[in-house]
Amino acid sequence: MLSRVASNLYWLARYLERAENTARLINVNSHLLLDLPSKVKLGWEPIVDILSFRDKFYETYKDVDEKSVINFMVVDKLNPGAILTSLKSARENARTIKEIIPREAWEQINALYLFVTENQKDAFTRRSRYAYLNKIILANQTISGLLAGTMSHDEAYAFMRIGQHIERADMSTRIIDVRSATLLSEIESELPAFSNIQWMGVLKSMTAYQMYRREVRVRINREDVLTFLLTNPRFPRSLVHAIEQIERAVTELPNSKDTVGKTSRVKNYLLNAKPATLKQEKLHEFIDDMQLGLIEIDKQIEDSYF
């Protein structure tokens, strides 16, 4: 396989996963603001922080209000992490490898990009925002299912799985870092009655709420939520599950010894650290280490195959 094709497959999956995760984040934040009392200053800034685009945001916008953040995160062409930008890049990557992926997948990706472009005004009104973002989430889930069900599970598909789970793991660490290490400590000290709502928001940001309640079945609290989201191997959006999927997909590629070794070290570090028991400051340091580990895996894949 040409390195260019491998790179496009990898980044196609990353861009699609990024668009879906961003849509989930905005939807959850919209609902969270309605659930919390006005005294709790949650606002929209955490969404910008989660994606590490604070400096980029303030290059164009003065205030972190709802309209500015929605514009920045959904349709701003200058934001490389915006939903529209991500889907445009995914569409371009898919166009160049149409002979590798199923035709139906290409058609779905193209249709999703056109939908987001033509209906972008729906993101700015609360009445239509949920349906608009939910359409993006469901469309991406359809594309993922289509690829899993109709594409040969060969090296090409392995590159897509690696890209999807690298992006998912990266987003999981960002959500946990910003939501737990900053906002929740403040909320818990002032309004403990609402800390559960915040942790519920963390779970919903990763579409984990229902599975958490099925598995844990107790009152929502910090340690149980962190254990579930970071180290539960059976939940498909937990950090350890994403890293295990990367490890498994990498073993299907040629000359993968170095990449497998690096991925295994990151996984072992995660499991041995027992992150759910860490204090906020230590948890923040741990999350930083995990993100550096993911960057090293990404770099190793780029050096080995692209």
Side-chain angles (χ1 to χ4, degrees):
M1 179 184 297
L2 296 173
S3 60
R4 175 185 59 80
V5 173
S7 176
N8 284 351
L9 287 161
Y10 174 82
W11 279 103
L12 166 61
R14 288 200 69 161
Y15 289 133
L16 289 173
E17 183 72 18
R18 187 174 299 173
E20 179 184 336
N21 287 332
T22 305
R24 290 181 191 279
L25 271 177
I26 296 172
N27 252 351
V28 170
N29 206 64
S30 298
H31 287 290
L32 201 54
L33 289 175
L34 297 176
D35 291 338
L36 291 172
S38 57
K39 184 178 179 181
V40 179
K41 297 178 181 178
L42 178 62
W44 287 90
E45 197 166 30
I47 301 294
V48 178
D49 288 337
I50 284 173
L51 299 175
S52 300
F53 284 142
R54 175 181 283 263
D55 293 340
K56 190 76 181 174
F57 178 86
Y58 283 110
E59 287 177 6
T60 307
Y61 305 91
K62 183 178 179 182
D63 300 316
V64 194
D65 54 26
E66 181 174 349
K67 183 179 179 181
S68 298
V69 173
I70 294 296
N71 191 72
F72 180 69
M73 297 309 304
V74 179
V75 299
D76 193 334
K77 294 178 180 178
L78 298 178
N79 175 13
I83 291 174
L84 187 60
T85 312
S86 298
L87 290 177
K88 183 180 180 181
S89 299
R91 178 175 178 257
E92 181 58 24
N93 280 24
R95 187 187 64 76
T96 62
I97 52 172
K98 282 196 288 188
E99 72 282 6
I100 304 293
I101 61 175
R103 179 179 177 181
E104 292 82 357
W106 154 247
E107 291 174 350
Q108 290 284 339
I109 293 167
N110 190 45
L112 176 57
Y113 170 74
L114 293 176
F115 167 80
V116 172
T117 304
E118 293 168 0
N119 298 278
Q120 53 186 274
K121 66 178 186 307
D122 289 346
F124 293 91
T125 56
R126 292 184 178 179
R127 179 173 295 180
S128 57
R129 184 182 303 152
Y130 176 80
Y132 176 75
L133 295 174
N134 206 41
K135 168 83 173 179
I136 296 170
I137 295 166
L138 292 177
N140 192 47
Q141 290 287 301
T142 300
I143 294 166
S144 296
L146 188 62
L147 291 168
T150 61
M151 187 173 176
S152 296
H153 288 201
D154 53 11
E155 292 176 3
Y157 188 62
F159 278 114
M160 297 196 74
R161 284 162 53 210
I162 295 168
Q164 179 186 43
H165 286 95
I166 282 269
E167 187 68 30
R168 187 174 294 180
D170 179 62
M171 181 64 88
S172 297
T173 56
R174 291 173 185 274
I175 291 172
I176 292 169
D177 189 28
V178 173
R179 292 293 195 199
S180 65
T182 305
L183 290 172
L184 293 172
S185 58
E186 179 182 335
I187 297 290
E188 283 172 353
S189 63
E190 296 182 2
L191 291 168
F194 297 102
S195 65
N196 280 6
I197 296 176
Q198 278 276 3
W199 284 114
M200 198 183 300
V202 176
L203 289 167
K204 289 181 177 178
S205 297
M206 296 169 66
T207 324
Y209 179 65
Q210 281 184 281
M211 294 304 106
Y212 173 88
R213 296 308 294 260
R214 267 187 57 191
E215 186 140 341
V216 183
R217 295 179 182 275
V218 293
R219 183 173 176 269
I220 295 173
N221 60 68
R222 178 185 186 274
E223 186 169 343
D224 287 339
V225 171
L226 290 176
T227 299
F228 187 77
L229 295 179
L230 291 171
T231 59
N232 187 313
R234 291 176 295 187
F235 180 60
R237 289 187 172 272
S238 75
L239 183 56
V240 72
H241 183 88
I243 294 173
E244 285 178 345
Q245 291 299 310
I246 296 166
E247 187 179 38
R248 191 170 301 173
V250 167
T251 59
E252 298 171 15
L253 300 177
N255 305 317
S256 61
K257 183 179 177 181
D258 291 343
T259 313
V260 171
K262 199 171 286 293
T263 307
S264 298
R265 284 194 290 277
V266 174
K267 184 181 75 173
N268 291 335
Y269 179 67
L270 165 62
L271 295 176
N272 293 329
K274 298 180 180 177
T277 62
L278 299 176
K279 299 293 185 185
Q280 295 291 6
E281 187 177 343
K282 291 294 182 183
L283 178 65
H284 180 67
E285 293 174 5
F286 167 78
I287 293 291
D288 278 349
D289 291 340
M290 291 306 303
Q291 290 191 325
L292 289 173
L294 294 171
I295 290 171
E296 288 178 8
I297 294 172
D298 174 78
K299 181 72 166 52
Q300 183 68 48
I301 291 169
E302 183 178 342
D303 292 344
S304 299
Y305 302 107
F306 306 157

